């Protein structure tokens, strides 16, 4: 039963990250917009779009603790997939997350997951430095330099 226990623990961690993402999305306050349609003035509630705000430091600390406690890189990538559902990351946060993966090939998988969620692309060198071998650095640089429309297909 140790495998069953580990998979249950993994599922609980993934669900926790999902709840965290939903909490972040729900925390965005609504505001009222007044519109004039012809002679009629209407008001409607609109959810503020904070698409480009990175994950808060508090939530990132929780995510980092979960990633650190997770044993296998495959489970870590599952957690990242869930975390990316409702969150964005800075290059520094991305580089920090990549450092928790054991090998360059797993870091590349993680980078592919995180890439569409990056809000700032000014410090890409910090991401590249997380790769051990030149082949991994080259592949990461290639991923980071692809056009936006190709990145979404990953």
């Amino acid at each position: 039963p140790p495998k069953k226990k580990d998979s249950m623990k993994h599922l609980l961690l993934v669900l926790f990250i999902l709840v965290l993402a939903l909490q972040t999305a729900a925390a965005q306050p609504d505001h009222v917009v007044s519109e004039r349609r012809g002679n009629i003035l209407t008001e409607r509630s609109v959810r503020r779009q904070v698409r480009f705000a990175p994950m808060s430091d508090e939530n990132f600390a929780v995510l980092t603790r979960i990633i650190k406690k997770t044993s296998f890189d495959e489970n870590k990538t599952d957690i990242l997939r869930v975390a990316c559902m409702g969150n964005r990351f800075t290059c520094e946060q991305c580089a920090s997350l990549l450092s928790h993966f054991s090998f360059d090939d797993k870091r590349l998988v993680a980078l592919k997951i995180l890439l569409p969620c990056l809000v700032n692309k000014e410090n890409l060198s910090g991401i590249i430095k997380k790769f051990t071998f030149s082949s991994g650095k080259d592949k990461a640089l290639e991923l980071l330099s692809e056009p936006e429309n190709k990145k979404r297909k990953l």
Side-chain angles (χ1 to χ4, degrees):
K3 285 186 177 183
K4 196 175 210 180
K5 185 179 177 183
D6 287 343
S7 64
M8 183 59 103
K9 184 178 175 183
H10 173 69
L11 178 63
L12 289 173
L13 287 173
V14 170
L15 289 174
F16 177 75
I17 294 289
L18 182 59
V19 168
L20 189 66
L22 292 174
Q23 277 183 332
T24 303
Q28 304 304 322
D30 292 346
H31 66 282
V32 175
V33 173
S34 297
E35 296 179 330
R36 185 169 293 280
R37 294 184 181 177
N39 293 332
I40 301 171
L41 181 66
T42 61
E43 289 185 346
R44 61 187 171 97
S45 179
V46 178
R47 180 154 307 274
R48 290 188 182 177
Q49 297 294 323
V50 186
R51 288 189 243 171
F52 302 110
M55 181 181 271
S56 69
D57 292 339
E58 297 83 20
N59 288 348
F60 186 72
V62 171
L63 176 62
T64 302
R65 274 195 305 272
I66 291 170
I67 294 282
K68 279 182 184 177
K69 289 181 180 182
T70 304
S71 302
F72 300 107
D73 285 347
E74 289 79 20
N75 295 343
K76 292 176 185 181
T77 56
D78 290 342
I79 292 169
L80 283 183
R81 281 187 182 91
V82 175
C84 284
M85 286 178 167
N87 293 293
R88 301 287 178 255
F89 299 93
T90 64
C91 287
E92 293 78 18
Q93 290 173 331
C94 176
S96 174
L97 291 170
L98 292 178
S99 68
H100 298 290
F101 288 83
S102 306
F103 303 103
D104 277 359
D105 60 333
K106 300 301 182 186
R107 286 186 195 100
L108 284 169
V109 172
L111 180 58
K112 286 179 186 179
I113 294 167
L114 291 166
L115 201 52
C117 302
L118 291 180
V119 293
N120 68 334
K121 306 232 171 121
E122 292 82 36
N123 191 13
L124 296 177
S125 62
I127 294 173
I128 301 295
K129 289 178 184 176
K130 294 299 176 181
F131 290 86
T132 309
F133 300 105
S134 60
S135 61
K137 292 179 185 207
D138 291 342
K139 288 178 184 175
L141 191 56
E142 185 179 317
L143 276 175
L144 292 168
S145 61
E146 284 181 0
E148 287 296 320
N149 58 353
K150 277 190 158 182
K151 289 177 189 172
R152 291 191 184 114
K153 293 179 183 177
L154 296 175

